[in-house]
Amino acid sequence: MADLQALREEAESAIASAGSAAELEELRVRYLGRKAELTQTLRGIGELAPEERGPVGKAANAVRVALEAQLTQRTQELEASELDSRLAADRIDVTLPGDPPSPAGHLHIVSQTRREMEDIFIGLGFNVVEGPEVEFDHYNFTTLNIPPNHPARALQDTFYLSPDVVLRTHTSPMQTRSMEVKAPPIYIVVPGRVYRRDSDASHTPMFHQLEGLAVDESITLADLRGVLLEFARAMFGPEREVRLRSGYFPFTEPSVEVDISCFNCGGSGWIGSQRDSLCKGSGWIEILGSGMVDPNVYGFVSEMGYDPEKVSGFAFGMGIDRIAMLKYGIPDLRLMFENDLRFLEQF
Ligand code: DAH
């Protein structure tokens, strides 16, 4: 019995001071394994005197149970702390650059151009807003003075999602949407995707536009001209001029189409003795449609204070992709959306 007690104390202090799960496993074999003293004792109980068998067996068994429990507990503790230190040592900082660092790439040419355009208009006091690409017929057409069954609806090859829901064919629906929630004055530009059933070198079913709207007291066509001249010069160089030609849009009156002087030939139409192919020798390049907001459009937002007797404004809309094509000399719009790196990396 004294031996058992001594064995128990020795084993307990060894287990308590073990420093690893492997060491504990060694101790388990040493004190509880097949060849361990305790195991031998338990096996040899039958050889003891009959009156000793009970007490010795009981005591030996108690030591075994106690050591097993202590081993299990210590093993769990050690495994947990080994896991903790392994996690701490193996920690990877996923925010570090790769090795070697992989190239980060850059924004798509359309995004670059959109941001450059936004910056110019922000500098002129406009706010940037965005609107839904899935749009009600009501905003895409009706509030832009294009009533149901009006032939102007046929001018745009529209994707219909249901009889009164479309993929917006232009960013103009944000004119009314914005005025519905903001009383005058309002100065906004609206960049975004638009959709039309159209596909060739200068048309894709999805493309990008940037709409502009300015409504305030006593805004005139001269303000429109000034803003667009500023834009043309910031985008295409300080020598640019703009030219307004009369046009037609249902939601502006009067409507104008705006050209900028050609930056390729300087506006002469000639490069040396050759006609400039960019402006087809005219010296001018059409960049957008615009005009003074039609009073009928204000009629849809009159409760917000858009009274055509008190306020006036201009609107314009241009293709972001088209501006990028002009600026970088890109011959085919479809290149923009094929995502061929050999093309994209050039910009
Ligand atoms: N929404 C027209 C289109 O996509 C472009 C446009 C013309 C926008 C005149 C305007 C505008 O705001 O005043 O063809």
Side-chain angles (χ1 to χ4, degrees), residues 15 21-40 67-68 71:
I15 294 168
E23 239 177 275
L24 282 175
E25 180 56 20
E26 265 171 41
L27 293 175
R28 195 187 61 75
V29 172
R30 169 142 29 112
Y31 292 109
L32 297 173
R34 266 187 301 133
K35 293 184 188 137
E37 199 183 330
L38 186 63
T39 314
Q40 303 299 330
L67 293 183
E68 271 172 0
L71 271 169

Side-chain angles (χ1 to χ4, degrees), residues 2-69:
D3 285 354
L4 276 175
Q5 185 55 31
L7 178 70
R8 177 176 181 159
E9 278 163 23
E10 178 197 315
E12 279 180 350
S13 83
I15 294 168
S17 58
S20 71
E23 239 177 275
L24 282 175
E25 180 56 20
E26 265 171 41
L27 293 175
R28 195 187 61 75
V29 172
R30 169 142 29 112
Y31 292 109
L32 297 173
R34 266 187 301 133
K35 293 184 188 137
E37 199 183 330
L38 186 63
T39 314
Q40 303 299 330
T41 306
L42 282 162
R43 271 202 204 129
I45 296 269
E47 288 147 34
L48 295 177
E51 68 278 11
E52 286 182 336
R53 287 179 198 163
V56 172
K58 225 172 147 191
N61 222 9
V63 173
R64 188 179 58 82
V65 170
L67 293 183
E68 271 172 0

Side-chain angles (χ1 to χ4, degrees), residues 24 100 107 109 135 159 177 214 232 237 272 281 286 341 344:
L24 282 175
L107 289 177
I109 179 179
E135 183 57 282
F159 289 110
R177 277 187 177 276
E286 183 183 333
L341 281 178
L344 296 177

Side-chain angles (χ1 to χ4, degrees), residues 144 156 169-173 175 194 196 207 209-213 224 248-256 288-293 314-319:
L144 290 165
Q156 300 180 349
T169 57
H170 49 183
T171 42
S172 305
Q175 291 188 25
V194 301
R196 290 185 201 178
F207 59 108
Q209 284 189 337
L210 182 121
E211 190 82 10
L213 175 71
L224 169 61
Y248 168 73
F249 299 100
F251 37 93
T252 43
E253 183 60 39
S255 300
V256 290
L288 58 84
S290 64
M292 302 304 291
V293 178
F314 61 78
F316 59 86
M318 62 182 129

Side-chain angles (χ1 to χ4, degrees), residues 51-208:
E51 68 278 11
E52 286 182 336
R53 287 179 198 163
V56 172
K58 225 172 147 191
N61 222 9
V63 173
R64 188 179 58 82
V65 170
L67 293 183
E68 271 172 0
Q70 194 197 356
L71 271 169
T72 309
Q73 194 201 339
R74 240 349 245 156
T75 305
Q76 280 168 0
E77 283 169 16
L78 273 177
E79 278 173 353
S81 81
E82 278 169 21
L83 182 64
D84 282 349
S85 52
R86 213 173 336 120
L87 285 177
D90 290 355
R91 196 176 54 212
I92 293 173
D93 183 349
V94 295
T95 66
L96 288 174
D99 180 20
S102 52
H106 60 66
L107 289 177
H108 191 280
I109 179 179
V110 173
S111 303
Q112 291 180 42
T113 308
R114 191 198 71 217
R115 291 190 182 193
E116 194 178 342
M117 293 165 74
E118 288 173 3
D119 280 351
I120 295 168
F121 286 106
I122 287 169
L124 289 166
F126 288 77
N127 294 308
V128 179
V129 299
E130 288 178 291
E133 293 168 27
V134 174
E135 183 57 282
F136 289 110
D137 181 294
H138 175 75
Y139 290 108
N140 197 78
F141 294 121
T142 309
T143 67
L144 290 165
N145 201 27
I146 313 173
N149 305 318
H150 189 281
R153 291 196 179 200
L155 294 179
Q156 300 180 349
D157 275 324
T158 309
F159 289 110
Y160 279 88
L161 300 186
S162 76
D164 54 1
V165 176
V166 302
L167 290 181
R168 67 177 177 189
T169 57
H170 49 183
T171 42
S172 305
M174 277 307 284
Q175 291 188 25
T176 344
R177 277 187 177 276
S178 303
M179 290 189 282
E180 272 180 355
V181 296
K182 164 88 174 72
I186 190 166
Y187 292 85
I188 55 163
V189 288
V190 188
R193 293 194 186 91
V194 301
Y195 301 84
R196 290 185 201 178
R197 268 194 59 212
D198 226 347
S199 194
D200 59 40
S202 54
H203 299 87
T204 48
M206 184 282 306
F207 59 108
H208 301 82

